[in-house]
Amino acid sequence: MTTVTWLGHASLAIESSSYHILIDPFISGNPAAPVKEEDLQADFILVSHGHGDHVGDTVSIAKRTNALVISNFEIANWLGNQGVRTHPQHIGGGFKHPFGYLKLTQALHGSALPDGSYGGNPAGFLLTTLEGIKLYFACDTGLFGDMRLIGEEGIDLAVLPIGDNFTMGPDDALRAVKLIQPKHVIPIHYNTWDLIAQDVQHWKKRVEEETSAQVHVLSPGQSLQLD
Ligand code: NI
Ligand code: MN
């Protein structure tokens, strides 16, 4: 069984085959965070790009938990220089980790690190769990047509940004669902601040009318279980 918990904004906690995996753990500065950074468990941390609302509390959580941080080569170097254990990958490259096979996918976005360092290209994540469940985390991105190629893998769950302004908004995120054709969708990266406020129930209605995907609107702290 795989459990996906939304920690508000773009932060997620995955539990799969007893491994604890955090994605973009932005907790201490996140007004929507339902937990305290010091209460999170982590065996692995995935960082999609260099922006502060994604790198977040990665360094302090990794040092406390001794989690292995997986990110692109540039961000892995930056984190490694701060004493964090890292595994670098890059876009198009997959690796068999203890929790499953993780591939970095392209994302259309920026990636400068909080201190201005070059953070390489931003990424999304395609995770095949040990049980064969396929999870696609688009992370911060605009719409791109090659989401269709990612969809060809047979996606069980797509986690998509819908907030607009910095990422796909509701209209493009609906087009993304049509390209990816996932069974389940979780919308994220909205309502953290007024700038990315969206009517998520209206979006769920549109997606479920126009596609066969099931949209799971989570409150921060709520989970979806997949088995
Ligand atoms: Ni960003
Ligand atoms: Mn962001």
Side-chain angles (χ1 to χ4, degrees):
M1 186 162 64
T2 295
T3 304
V4 179
T5 304
W6 189 36
L7 301 177
H9 196 55
S11 300
L12 297 148
I14 317 294
E15 204 178 333
S16 187
S17 301
S18 82
Y19 291 102
H20 291 89
I21 304 147
L22 297 176
I23 301 182
D24 291 347
F26 165 60
I27 306 299
S28 56
N30 176 358
V35 288
K36 288 198 167 66
E37 174 212 317
E38 51 268 33
D39 296 331
L40 288 172
Q41 286 180 268
D43 302 305
F44 299 89
I45 302 173
L46 281 47
V47 178
S48 67
H49 66 287
H51 291 162
D53 58 321
H54 297 261
V55 173
D57 304 294
T58 295
V59 172
S60 59
I61 297 172
K63 285 186 174 172
R64 174 174 57 79
T65 60
N66 201 34
L68 182 71
V69 182
I70 303 164
S71 191
N72 73 22
F73 179 80
E74 291 83 359
I75 294 171
N77 275 348
W78 186 81
L79 291 168
N81 287 337
Q82 298 176 66
V84 170
R85 293 196 309 126
T86 63
H87 177 109
Q89 292 185 217
H90 232 305
I91 292 163
F95 186 81
K96 196 167 182 294
H97 293 281
F99 57 89
Y101 185 76
L102 181 75
K103 187 158 80 174
L104 267 59
T105 58
Q106 69 161 322
L108 298 180
H109 197 66
S111 185
L113 284 151
D115 65 0
S117 296
Y118 175 62
N121 285 311
F125 298 108
L126 180 58
L127 169 62
T128 309
T129 70
L130 299 180
E131 297 154 318
I133 299 169
K134 292 238 185 204
L135 310 167
Y136 170 51
F137 304 91
C139 302
D140 283 15
T141 187
L143 180 69
F144 54 91
D146 285 354
M147 285 180 176
R148 186 189 305 277
L149 297 179
I150 294 167
E152 283 175 5
E153 301 239 6
I155 303 299
D156 295 295
L157 170 67
V159 179
L160 304 175
I162 69 159
D164 219 348
N165 194 74
F166 295 116
T167 68
M168 292 191 287
D171 292 345
D172 280 353
L174 169 57
R175 295 167 74 192
V177 175
K178 291 177 180 175
L179 292 171
I180 301 162
Q181 300 185 20
K183 292 194 186 86
H184 302 275
V185 177
I186 294 176
I188 63 167
H189 213 283
Y190 68 94
N191 286 6
T192 321
W193 303 284
D194 288 347
L195 192 60
I196 53 173
Q198 297 297 338
D199 182 345
V200 68
Q201 292 297 342
H202 179 65
W203 187 75
K204 170 182 164 75
K205 191 163 173 284
R206 287 175 68 198
V207 173
E208 292 183 343
E209 276 170 6
E210 294 186 36
T211 77
S212 57
Q214 193 181 346
V215 177
H216 303 268
V217 174
L218 303 179
S219 300
Q222 279 189 327
S223 305
L224 174 68
Q225 282 187 359
L226 297 160
D227 43 20

